[in-house]
Amino acid sequence: MKKMQKKRKMNVRAYVSIGMLSSIAFLLMLIQFPLPLFPNFLFVDFSDIPALIATLIFGPIAGILVEFFKNVLNYIQTGSQTGIPVGHIANFVAGIVFILPTYFVYNRLKTRKGMTLALIIGTTIMAVMMSILNYLVILPAYTVLMGFPDMRNLVLPAILPFNLLKGVMMSGIFMLLFIRMQAWIIKYTTIKSA
């Protein structure tokens, strides 16, 4: 009986935390900015950081839910020029291919150096995967839906370095938070697995 109550309490805590982290991610998504020297349709935001925190504490499904909810909320508020949330889908996929490799690598190492390596691997995988997806799906979708010229020639000179730089910026900010929150994250991860 006590075990069931403890599990139910953890589920409520997880649901509330996912909702709260999704709200924070949504707000962070609204604070986006372009980087000089890159095309004006590429924006940096730090909304993947709450998703990464959710992933580390509650597991991959929690992080995916935070990524999903923040994009749904953002789409409801801002809409999409194409009518189809191509940019939101791209943001969702980019978030997932950043947080999941980071989570799985960190889960094996569980140290600050391990987190640094995990963030490097997550950033690299995200940048490469998003370059491939932009070339094959995302940029052609904008060409078809918006009548833009073929922009696939921007993948190597703009999109790949942009995503690498975005990943480095996000990783730097996350590491500052992680250093402060590491004991807290470990504590709640331990409670969840008990």
Side-chain angles (χ1 to χ4, degrees):
M1 183 73 169
K2 279 188 175 184
K3 199 172 190 179
M4 207 155 121
Q5 284 178 330
K6 188 175 182 181
K7 189 174 182 179
R8 191 174 296 138
K9 186 176 179 182
M10 269 312 295
N11 284 341
V12 170
R13 178 180 286 158
Y15 295 142
V16 170
S17 298
I18 289 167
M20 183 183 68
L21 289 167
S22 298
S23 300
I24 293 168
F26 164 67
L27 293 173
L28 288 173
M29 198 173 181
L30 295 175
I31 307 168
Q32 54 180 272
F33 55 92
L35 292 176
L37 306 177
F38 289 101
N40 61 0
F41 60 86
L42 297 173
F43 293 96
V44 172
D45 68 68
F46 299 110
S47 62
D48 293 329
I49 291 173
L52 186 53
I53 292 169
T55 305
L56 292 173
I57 296 171
F58 301 107
I61 300 298
I64 291 168
L65 286 172
V66 171
E67 291 287 347
F68 176 76
F69 291 137
K70 76 163 184 180
N71 278 290
V72 167
L73 289 170
N74 189 269
Y75 178 65
I76 289 169
Q77 182 181 7
T78 62
S80 172
Q81 292 176 324
T82 62
I84 299 170
V86 177
H88 294 91
I89 292 168
N91 185 285
F92 175 70
V93 172
I96 289 173
V97 296
F98 175 71
I99 64 172
L100 292 185
T102 303
Y103 168 77
F104 288 116
V105 172
Y106 174 71
N107 231 18
R108 290 202 173 268
L109 304 173
K110 297 211 179 200
T111 63
R112 284 187 191 171
K113 285 183 182 177
M115 179 53 80
T116 303
L117 178 64
L119 288 165
I120 290 168
I121 290 171
T123 295
T124 305
I125 290 173
M126 183 262 299
V128 170
M129 288 301 298
M130 290 313 294
S131 295
I132 293 167
L133 288 171
N134 267 286
Y135 188 82
L136 296 176
V137 179
I138 298 165
L139 292 176
Y142 277 113
T143 300
V144 169
L145 295 170
M146 298 287 290
F148 290 164
D150 187 3
M151 297 183 292
R152 290 182 292 177
N153 61 330
L154 294 174
V155 169
L156 285 178
I159 291 173
L160 178 63
F162 173 83
N163 281 322
L164 285 170
L165 186 58
K166 177 182 174 181
V168 167
M169 292 168 68
M170 218 169 3
S171 297
I173 290 174
F174 180 77
M175 275 308 290
L176 294 174
L177 291 171
F178 181 75
I179 290 167
R180 295 261 195 205
M181 297 173 63
Q182 185 176 13
W184 182 78
I185 288 172
I186 291 169
K187 175 184 168 190
Y188 280 98
T189 304
T190 306
I191 289 171
K192 177 194 79 167
S193 60

